[in-house]
Coordinates of all heavy atoms in Angstrom, one line a residue:
A1 N 2.6 -20.9 9.6 CA 1.8 -20.0 8.7 C 0.4 -20.4 8.6 O 0.1 -21.6 8.6 CB 2.4 -19.8 7.3
T2 N -0.5 -19.5 8.6 CA -1.9 -19.7 8.3 C -2.6 -18.5 7.6 O -2.0 -17.5 7.6 CB -2.7 -20.0 9.7 OG1 -4.0 -20.4 9.4 CG2 -2.8 -18.7 10.5
S3 N -3.7 -18.7 7.0 CA -4.4 -17.7 6.3 C -5.9 -17.6 6.8 O -6.4 -18.6 7.2 CB -4.4 -17.9 4.8 OG -3.0 -17.9 4.3
M4 N -6.4 -16.4 6.6 CA -7.8 -16.2 7.1 C -8.5 -15.1 6.2 O -7.8 -14.3 5.6 CB -7.9 -15.9 8.5 CG -7.1 -14.6 8.9 SD -7.2 -14.2 10.7 CE -6.0 -12.9 10.8
W5 N -9.8 -15.0 6.3 CA -10.6 -14.0 5.6 C -11.1 -13.1 6.6 O -11.7 -13.5 7.7 CB -11.7 -14.6 4.8 CG -12.5 -13.6 4.0 CD1 -12.3 -13.1 2.8 CD2 -13.8 -13.1 4.5 NE1 -13.3 -12.2 2.5 CE2 -14.2 -12.2 3.5 CE3 -14.6 -13.2 5.6 CZ2 -15.4 -11.5 3.6 CZ3 -15.7 -12.5 5.7 CH2 -16.2 -11.6 4.7
L6 N -11.1 -11.7 6.4 CA -11.7 -10.7 7.2 C -12.6 -9.8 6.4 O -12.2 -9.4 5.3 CB -10.6 -9.9 7.9 CG -9.7 -10.6 8.9 CD1 -8.7 -9.6 9.5 CD2 -10.5 -11.3 10.1
P7 N -13.7 -9.5 7.0 CA -14.7 -8.6 6.2 C -14.3 -7.1 6.3 O -15.1 -6.3 6.7 CB -16.0 -8.9 6.9 CG -15.6 -9.2 8.3 CD -14.3 -9.9 8.3
L8 N -13.1 -6.8 6.0 CA -12.6 -5.5 6.1 C -11.7 -5.2 4.8 O -11.1 -6.1 4.3 CB -11.7 -5.3 7.3 CG -12.3 -5.4 8.7 CD1 -11.3 -5.4 9.8 CD2 -13.3 -4.3 8.9
P9 N -11.7 -3.9 4.4 CA -10.9 -3.6 3.2 C -9.4 -3.8 3.5 O -9.0 -3.5 4.7 CB -11.2 -2.1 2.9 CG -12.0 -1.6 4.1 CD -12.5 -2.8 4.9
P10 N -8.6 -4.2 2.6 CA -7.2 -4.4 2.8 C -6.5 -3.2 3.4 O -5.6 -3.3 4.2 CB -6.6 -4.7 1.4 CG -7.8 -5.3 0.7 CD -9.0 -4.6 1.2
E11 N -6.9 -2.0 3.0 CA -6.2 -0.8 3.5 C -6.4 -0.6 5.0 O -5.5 -0.2 5.7 CB -6.8 0.5 2.8 CG -6.1 1.8 3.2 CD -6.6 3.0 2.5 OE1 -7.5 2.8 1.6 OE2 -6.2 4.1 2.7
T12 N -7.6 -1.0 5.5 CA -7.9 -0.9 7.0 C -7.0 -1.8 7.7 O -6.4 -1.5 8.8 CB -9.3 -1.2 7.2 OG1 -10.2 -0.2 6.6 CG2 -9.6 -1.1 8.7
V13 N -6.8 -3.1 7.2 CA -6.0 -4.1 7.9 C -4.5 -3.7 7.9 O -3.8 -3.8 8.9 CB -6.2 -5.4 7.3 CG1 -5.4 -6.5 8.0 CG2 -7.7 -5.8 7.3
F14 N -4.1 -3.2 6.7 CA -2.7 -2.7 6.6 C -2.3 -1.6 7.6 O -1.3 -1.7 8.3 CB -2.4 -2.3 5.2 CG -1.1 -1.7 4.9 CD1 0.1 -2.4 5.0 CD2 -1.0 -0.3 4.6 CE1 1.3 -1.9 4.8 CE2 0.3 0.2 4.4 CZ 1.4 -0.6 4.5
N15 N -3.2 -0.6 7.7 CA -2.9 0.5 8.6 C -2.9 0.0 10.1 O -2.2 0.5 10.9 CB -4.0 1.6 8.4 CG -3.9 2.3 7.1 OD1 -2.8 2.4 6.6 ND2 -5.0 2.8 6.6
F16 N -3.8 -1.0 10.4 CA -3.8 -1.5 11.7 C -2.4 -2.2 12.1 O -1.9 -2.0 13.2 CB -4.9 -2.6 11.9 CG -4.9 -3.4 13.1 CD1 -5.3 -2.8 14.3 CD2 -4.5 -4.7 13.1 CE1 -5.2 -3.6 15.5 CE2 -4.5 -5.5 14.2 CZ -4.9 -4.9 15.4
F17 N -1.9 -3.0 11.2 CA -0.6 -3.7 11.5 C 0.6 -2.8 11.5 O 1.5 -3.0 12.3 CB -0.4 -4.8 10.4 CG -1.2 -6.0 10.6 CD1 -2.0 -6.6 9.5 CD2 -1.3 -6.6 11.8 CE1 -2.7 -7.7 9.7 CE2 -2.1 -7.8 12.0 CZ -2.8 -8.3 10.9
R18 N 0.6 -1.7 10.7 CA 1.8 -0.9 10.7 C 1.8 0.2 11.7 O 2.8 0.9 11.9 CB 2.0 -0.3 9.3 CG 1.1 0.8 8.9 CD 1.3 1.3 7.5 NE 0.6 2.5 7.1 CZ 1.1 3.7 7.3 NH1 2.3 3.9 7.8 NH2 0.3 4.8 7.0
D19 N 0.7 0.4 12.4 CA 0.6 1.5 13.4 C 1.2 1.0 14.7 O 0.7 0.0 15.3 CB -0.9 1.8 13.6 CG -1.0 3.1 14.5 OD1 0.0 3.5 15.1 OD2 -2.1 3.6 14.5
E20 N 2.3 1.6 15.1 CA 3.0 1.2 16.4 C 2.1 1.3 17.6 O 2.3 0.6 18.6 CB 4.3 1.9 16.6 CG 4.2 3.4 16.9 CD 4.2 4.2 15.6 OE1 4.0 3.7 14.5 OE2 4.4 5.5 15.7
R21 N 1.1 2.2 17.5 CA 0.2 2.4 18.7 C -0.8 1.2 18.9 O -1.3 1.0 20.0 CB -0.6 3.7 18.5 CG 0.2 5.0 18.5 CD -0.6 6.2 18.0 NE -1.1 6.0 16.7 CZ -1.8 6.9 16.0 NH1 -2.1 8.0 16.6 NH2 -2.2 6.6 14.8
T22 N -1.0 0.4 17.9 CA -1.9 -0.7 18.0 C -1.2 -2.1 18.1 O -1.8 -3.1 18.1 CB -2.9 -0.8 16.9 OG1 -2.2 -0.9 15.6 CG2 -3.8 0.5 16.8
R23 N 0.1 -2.0 18.1 CA 0.9 -3.2 18.1 C 0.7 -4.1 19.3 O 0.6 -5.4 19.1 CB 2.4 -2.9 18.0 CG 3.3 -4.1 17.7 CD 4.8 -3.8 17.6 NE 5.5 -4.9 17.2 CZ 5.9 -5.2 16.0 NH1 5.5 -4.4 15.0 NH2 6.6 -6.3 15.7
S24 N 0.5 -3.5 20.4 CA 0.3 -4.4 21.6 C -1.0 -5.2 21.6 O -1.1 -6.1 22.3 CB 0.3 -3.5 22.9 OG -0.7 -2.5 22.8
Q25 N -1.9 -4.8 20.7 CA -3.1 -5.5 20.6 C -3.0 -6.9 19.9 O -3.9 -7.8 20.1 CB -4.2 -4.7 19.9 CG -4.5 -3.4 20.6 CD -5.5 -2.5 19.8 OE1 -6.5 -3.1 19.2 NE2 -5.4 -1.2 19.8
W26 N -2.0 -7.1 19.1 CA -1.8 -8.3 18.4 C -0.5 -9.0 18.6 O -0.3 -10.2 18.4 CB -2.0 -8.1 16.9 CG -1.1 -7.1 16.2 CD1 -1.3 -5.8 15.9 CD2 0.3 -7.4 15.8 NE1 -0.2 -5.2 15.4 CE2 0.8 -6.1 15.3 CE3 1.1 -8.5 15.8 CZ2 2.1 -6.0 14.8 CZ3 2.4 -8.3 15.3 CH2 2.9 -7.1 14.8
D27 N 0.6 -8.3 19.1 CA 1.9 -8.8 19.2 C 2.0 -9.6 20.6 O 2.1 -9.0 21.6 CB 2.9 -7.7 19.2 CG 4.4 -8.3 19.1 OD1 4.5 -9.5 19.3 OD2 5.3 -7.5 18.9
V28 N 1.8 -10.9 20.5 CA 1.9 -11.7 21.7 C 3.2 -11.6 22.4 O 3.2 -11.6 23.7 CB 1.6 -13.2 21.3 CG1 1.6 -14.1 22.5 CG2 0.3 -13.4 20.6
L29 N 4.3 -11.4 21.7 CA 5.6 -11.4 22.4 C 5.9 -10.1 23.0 O 6.9 -9.9 23.7 CB 6.7 -11.7 21.3 CG 6.5 -13.1 20.6 CD1 7.6 -13.3 19.6 CD2 6.5 -14.2 21.7
S30 N 5.1 -9.1 22.8 CA 5.3 -7.7 23.4 C 4.9 -7.7 24.8 O 5.1 -6.7 25.6 CB 4.6 -6.6 22.6 OG 3.2 -6.7 22.7
N31 N 4.1 -8.7 25.3 CA 3.6 -8.8 26.6 C 2.7 -7.5 27.0 O 2.7 -7.1 28.1 CB 4.7 -8.9 27.7 CG 5.5 -10.2 27.5 OD1 4.9 -11.3 27.3 ND2 6.8 -10.1 27.6
G32 N 2.0 -7.0 26.0 CA 1.2 -5.9 26.2 C 1.9 -4.5 26.3 O 1.2 -3.5 26.5
N33 N 3.2 -4.5 26.1 CA 4.0 -3.2 26.2 C 3.8 -2.5 24.9 O 3.8 -3.1 23.8 CB 5.4 -3.5 26.5 CG 5.7 -4.1 27.9 OD1 4.9 -3.8 28.8 ND2 6.7 -5.0 28.0
S34 N 3.8 -1.2 24.9 CA 3.7 -0.4 23.7 C 5.1 -0.2 23.1 O 6.1 -0.5 23.8 CB 3.2 1.0 24.0 OG 4.0 1.7 25.0
V35 N 5.2 0.2 21.8 CA 6.4 0.4 21.1 C 6.4 1.8 20.6 O 5.4 2.4 20.4 CB 6.7 -0.6 20.0 CG1 6.7 -2.0 20.5 CG2 5.6 -0.5 19.0
Q36 N 7.6 2.3 20.3 CA 7.7 3.6 19.7 C 8.7 3.6 18.6 O 9.7 2.8 18.6 CB 8.2 4.7 20.8 CG 9.6 4.4 21.3 CD 10.0 5.4 22.4 OE1 9.1 5.9 23.1 NE2 11.3 5.7 22.5
E37 N 8.4 4.4 17.5 CA 9.3 4.4 16.4 C 10.4 5.4 16.6 O 10.2 6.6 16.9 CB 8.5 4.9 15.1 CG 9.2 4.8 13.8 CD 8.4 5.2 12.6 OE1 7.8 6.3 12.7 OE2 8.3 4.5 11.6
V38 N 11.6 4.9 16.5 CA 12.8 5.7 16.8 C 13.6 6.1 15.5 O 14.5 6.9 15.5 CB 13.8 5.0 17.8 CG1 13.1 4.9 19.1 CG2 14.2 3.7 17.3
A39 N 13.2 5.4 14.4 CA 13.8 5.8 13.1 C 12.8 5.4 12.0 O 12.1 4.5 12.1 CB 15.2 5.1 12.9
H40 N 12.9 6.2 10.9 CA 11.9 6.0 9.8 C 12.6 6.3 8.5 O 13.2 7.4 8.3 CB 10.7 6.9 10.0 CG 9.6 6.8 9.0 ND1 8.5 5.9 9.2 CD2 9.5 7.3 7.8 CE1 7.7 6.0 8.1 NE2 8.3 6.9 7.3
V41 N 12.5 5.4 7.5 CA 13.0 5.7 6.2 C 11.9 5.5 5.1 O 11.3 4.4 5.1 CB 14.2 4.7 5.9 CG1 14.7 4.9 4.4 CG2 15.3 4.9 6.8
T42 N 11.7 6.5 4.3 CA 10.6 6.4 3.3 C 11.2 5.7 2.1 O 12.3 6.0 1.6 CB 10.2 7.8 2.9 OG1 9.6 8.5 4.0 CG2 9.1 7.8 1.8
N43 N 10.5 4.7 1.5 CA 10.9 4.0 0.3 C 9.9 3.9 -0.8 O 9.8 2.9 -1.5 CB 11.5 2.7 0.7 CG 10.4 1.8 1.3 OD1 9.3 2.2 1.5 ND2 10.8 0.5 1.6

């Protein structure tokens, strides 16, 4: 685990991580492959 500071509002960073279209930009284990959401539950 590690922590860092980014000069961006938390909402912007949160939307970046939860968007499956941008996942390949940070997910090292995806090998650059895109992902698609096949199920969704609102909570």
Side-chain angles (χ1 to χ4, degrees):
T2 190
S3 295
M4 60 182 170
W5 180 86
L6 294 180
L8 296 171
E11 184 179 358
T12 299
V13 181
F14 173 66
N15 290 333
F16 169 75
F17 283 131
R18 76 182 187 91
D19 189 347
E20 67 271 14
R21 295 170 297 182
T22 60
R23 188 182 187 92
S24 60
Q25 299 181 37
W26 57 262
D27 191 349
V28 179
L29 301 180
S30 69
N31 297 318
N33 296 326
S34 61
V35 298
Q36 63 183 32
E37 187 180 50
V38 294
H40 182 95
V41 176
T42 300
N43 62 358

